[in-house]
Amino acid sequence: MNPSPVRLRLEIAYDGTAYQGWQTQKVGTGVQSVVETALRILFPGAGPLHGCSRTDTGVHARSLVAHVDVPPAEWRMPARKLVLALNAHLPEDVRLISARRAAPHFHARFHTAGKQYRYFIWNHPALHPLHRHHAWHVTRPLDVPAMKEAARHLVGRHDFAAFTVNPGYARTSTIRTITRCEVQRRGSAITVIIEGDGFLYRMCRSIVGTLAQVGMGKIDAGSLPDQIASRDRRESGMTAPALGLVLWSVRYQPGRPASESAEPDPTDGE
Amino acid sequence: MNPSPVRLRLEIAYDGTAYQGWQTQKVGTGVQSVVETALRILFPGAGPLHGCSRTDTGVHARSLVAHVDVPPAEWRMPARKLVLALNAHLPEDVRLISARRAAPHFHARFHTAGKQYRYFIWNHPALHPLHRHHAWHVTRPLDVPAMKEAARHLVGRHDFAAFTVNPGYARTSTIRTITRCEVQRRGSAITVIIEGDGFLYRMCRSIVGTLAQVGMGKIDAGSLPDQIASRDRRESGMTAPALGLVLWSVRYQPGRPASESAEPDPTDGE
């Protein structure tokens, strides 16, 4: 009998500008394969890397959690040393932030309890050069109080079919719970914080695009409940561009990292 | 008699990564000449651009104030329209943030009453990819309370000869007043805010390098007054790298923008 592999829980950050998202596509490179390539320099027998989400082309991550199995015979360092060791083999736009051993059944995707995304808008006639790769440039002054009002309607357990590009892609259900949806302004920087138990394809960007159009006066803040009820993508607003979106943090149920009871959602992704 | 030129006050932001600082050097491009080139597309007779500071190679600006004279015959638009018009001719790492007409004797450099610089340190084993061009990566955990204590000694009117690379370069005096020197931590991000009436060559970076060495335990926080008193660069700490420094804001005396009484300081620069 083979000894059980060492399962590692990795926290990865990246600037998504140069990548076709997390998963490698037919064209272009995904962050996943960049990290897998680096891992196999250290651990030739490493298995595939499983990420908590599939971020879209151009989306960034502050903290994406992934797991990987390493053959025990190749595992010779304390997990914390992996940060320096792996980063030496990664491009500077991808970084391993932390590494630790996980329970043998921990699954980075199926065991998530919640995620937080942040979306950055630069609301000024000129886009600040230091934010040009990580913020959506909206020149027209946005009505932030109206955006805040609209955001409140999104909080709760709803069918978000009207806020995903292809609801049929969600093979299970389009019902999700948004636990926090906040709009903050600080000078020209507007941040939208969205937290929930799971997200449909392009859901965050559809929400932010809709909120921005509320801020532009093109959509009435009070119409959000009707948009949700419609379950029709044509009823909600535009899709905000990828470059402003950051997967900010991922939450796992405390003490249940290895639980098999969490509902797997193979469609989750932004 | 020639009609008097139209004097414009411009607020410019830039990512300094690709530039040899504000002033054009023998090798490489300065932001100043990039903006001058764009200005002369709109106003062929525009004079030279005078900036409030000469930032060093790789240093960034959130708000650098400059003035320029335009022949009245070429001046055909409201000043606020200049933002869109000029940005169309600038690379995306340089932006005009605001423009307005200034008093005929306003001088962007000689009439400054104070400046604020911010320096960003990323204090974690791995440098966050989204901050890689705008933060100094310090892997060793820094003792921020010690840095705060050291920073307090710098506030006040002092001879900062020990915190400039070449005191002889300051033809007038090496006495400056620091009105604010604060160290803030938020997670892995440490920000040093330095405000003063003027800065000697590389003064901010010498201060931050010294504070960082205090945070590393290499320099005692209580030794700062002796370092200042020494007037000797060898007594203070290292020079922090340029990429973490941002010229944050410039202050002019209210109601005295055209005053000739402010003491010109031709040596000011970081």
Side-chain angles (χ1 to χ4, degrees):
Chain A
M1 189 186 118
N2 283 328
S4 2
V6 173
R7 181 156 290 191
L8 299 174
R9 174 188 158 143
L10 309 178
E11 193 188 2
I12 297 159
Y14 50 87
D15 178 336
T17 309
Y19 298 97
Q20 299 297 109
W22 171 255
Q23 270 195 327
T24 298
Q25 309 291 317
K26 280 170 203 148
V27 177
T29 308
V31 175
Q32 180 188 21
S33 65
V34 170
V35 179
E36 280 176 345
T37 302
L39 279 167
R40 285 180 190 139
I41 295 170
L42 301 174
F43 315 110
L49 187 63
H50 296 269
C52 63
S53 312
R54 295 183 292 224
T55 63
D56 220 347
T57 302
V59 171
H60 318 290
R62 171 180 170 269
S63 174
L64 179 143
V65 175
H67 76 262
V68 66
D69 286 336
V70 169
E74 296 176 4
W75 181 247
R76 296 184 199 90
M77 61 173 95
R80 64 185 165 77
K81 292 219 170 169
L82 187 56
V83 171
L84 282 176
L86 195 75
N87 283 333
H89 298 289
L90 284 171
E92 65 168 14
D93 52 5
V94 179
R95 293 286 98 175
L96 179 63
I97 301 297
S98 74
R100 60 178 206 242
R101 287 191 67 158
H105 300 292
F106 168 75
H107 197 289
R109 189 164 189 180
F110 297 159
H111 298 163
T112 58
K115 280 180 209 143
Q116 186 187 116
Y117 283 90
R118 295 197 180 189
Y119 194 100
F120 298 92
I121 297 171
W122 192 257
N123 189 29
H124 184 280
L127 176 57
H128 191 303
L130 295 184
H131 300 297
R132 69 190 188 282
H133 299 306
H134 322 116
W136 178 23
H137 184 204
V138 177
T139 54
R140 185 196 296 212
L142 293 176
D143 178 348
V144 170
M147 293 170 72
K148 284 176 191 274
E149 189 199 328
R152 276 195 295 271
H153 292 297
L154 292 159
V155 175
R157 186 165 169 82
H158 301 293
D159 186 333
F160 283 99
F163 292 87
T164 182
V165 169
N166 182 3
Y169 183 79
R171 277 161 283 172
T172 49
S173 154
T174 48
I175 294 172
R176 295 290 183 280
T177 301
I178 296 289
T179 50
R180 185 180 173 195
C181 188
E182 270 177 43
V183 184
Q184 301 174 347
R185 177 194 282 279
R186 195 173 165 179
S188 303
I190 295 174
T191 306
V192 183
I193 302 175
I194 309 178
E195 222 172 86
D197 61 351
F199 291 89
L200 302 165
Y201 184 56
R202 298 215 171 151
M203 179 170 149
C204 281
R205 291 164 58 192
S206 305
I207 286 174
V208 172
T210 303
L211 294 179
Q213 286 186 296
V214 168
M216 292 170 192
K218 290 181 180 174
I219 292 177
D220 186 58
S223 71
L224 268 286
D226 286 344
Q227 288 180 37
I228 295 169
S230 77
R231 304 187 67 251
D232 183 347
R233 181 69 186 87
R234 292 166 298 183
E235 293 297 315
S236 65
M238 65 182 291
T239 302
L243 88 171
L245 186 63
V246 182
L247 170 56
W248 198 259
S249 58
V250 189
R251 198 163 47 80
Y252 291 88
Q253 289 184 303
R256 295 181 60 197
S259 161
E260 298 295 283
S261 68
E263 194 186 348
D265 177 8
T267 66
D268 187 273
E270 254 305 322
Chain B
M1 191 187 117
N2 283 329
S4 0
V6 173
R7 181 155 289 192
L8 299 175
R9 173 188 159 145
L10 308 178
E11 193 189 2
I12 297 159
Y14 50 88
D15 179 336
T17 309
Y19 298 96
Q20 298 298 109
W22 170 255
Q23 270 195 328
T24 298
Q25 310 289 314
K26 279 170 204 147
V27 177
T29 308
V31 176
Q32 181 188 21
S33 65
V34 170
V35 179
E36 281 176 345
T37 302
L39 278 167
R40 285 181 191 138
I41 295 170
L42 300 175
F43 314 110
L49 188 62
H50 297 268
C52 64
S53 311
R54 293 183 293 225
T55 63
D56 220 347
T57 301
V59 172
H60 317 289
R62 172 180 168 270
S63 174
L64 180 142
V65 175
H67 76 262
V68 66
D69 286 336
V70 169
E74 295 177 5
W75 180 249
R76 292 181 205 92
M77 62 173 96
R80 63 185 165 77
K81 291 219 170 169
L82 187 58
V83 171
L84 282 176
L86 195 75
N87 282 333
H89 297 290
L90 285 171
E92 63 167 16
D93 52 4
V94 180
R95 293 286 97 174
L96 178 64
I97 301 297
S98 73
R100 60 179 206 240
R101 288 191 67 159
H105 300 293
F106 168 75
H107 197 288
R109 189 163 190 180
F110 295 159
H111 298 164
T112 59
K115 279 180 208 142
Q116 186 186 116
Y117 283 89
R118 295 198 178 187
Y119 194 99
F120 298 92
I121 297 172
W122 193 256
N123 189 31
H124 184 280
L127 176 56
H128 191 302
L130 295 185
H131 300 296
R132 69 192 189 279
H133 298 307
H134 322 116
W136 179 23
H137 185 203
V138 177
T139 55
R140 182 194 299 211
L142 294 175
D143 179 348
V144 169
M147 292 170 73
K148 285 176 191 275
E149 188 198 328
R152 276 194 294 270
H153 293 297
L154 293 159
V155 176
R157 185 166 170 82
H158 301 294
D159 187 332
F160 284 98
F163 293 86
T164 182
V165 170
N166 181 2
Y169 183 80
R171 277 160 282 174
T172 49
S173 155
T174 48
I175 294 172
R176 295 288 183 280
T177 301
I178 295 287
T179 50
R180 184 178 175 196
C181 187
E182 270 178 44
V183 185
Q184 302 174 347
R185 177 194 280 280
R186 196 173 162 178
S188 303
I190 295 174
T191 306
V192 183
I193 301 175
I194 309 177
E195 220 171 88
D197 62 350
F199 292 89
L200 302 165
Y201 185 56
R202 296 211 173 157
M203 179 168 150
C204 281
R205 290 164 57 190
S206 304
I207 286 175
V208 172
T210 303
L211 294 179
Q213 286 186 296
V214 168
M216 293 169 192
K218 291 181 179 173
I219 293 177
D220 186 60
S223 72
L224 267 285
D226 286 346
Q227 288 180 37
I228 295 169
S230 76
R231 304 189 68 251
D232 183 346
R233 183 67 187 87
R234 291 166 298 183
E235 295 297 315
S236 65
M238 64 182 291
T239 302
L243 88 171
L245 187 61
V246 181
L247 170 56
W248 198 258
S249 58
V250 189
R251 197 164 47 80
Y252 291 88
Q253 289 183 301
R256 293 180 61 196
S259 162
E260 298 295 281
S261 67
E263 194 186 350
D265 177 8
T267 66
D268 186 273
E270 257 301 323

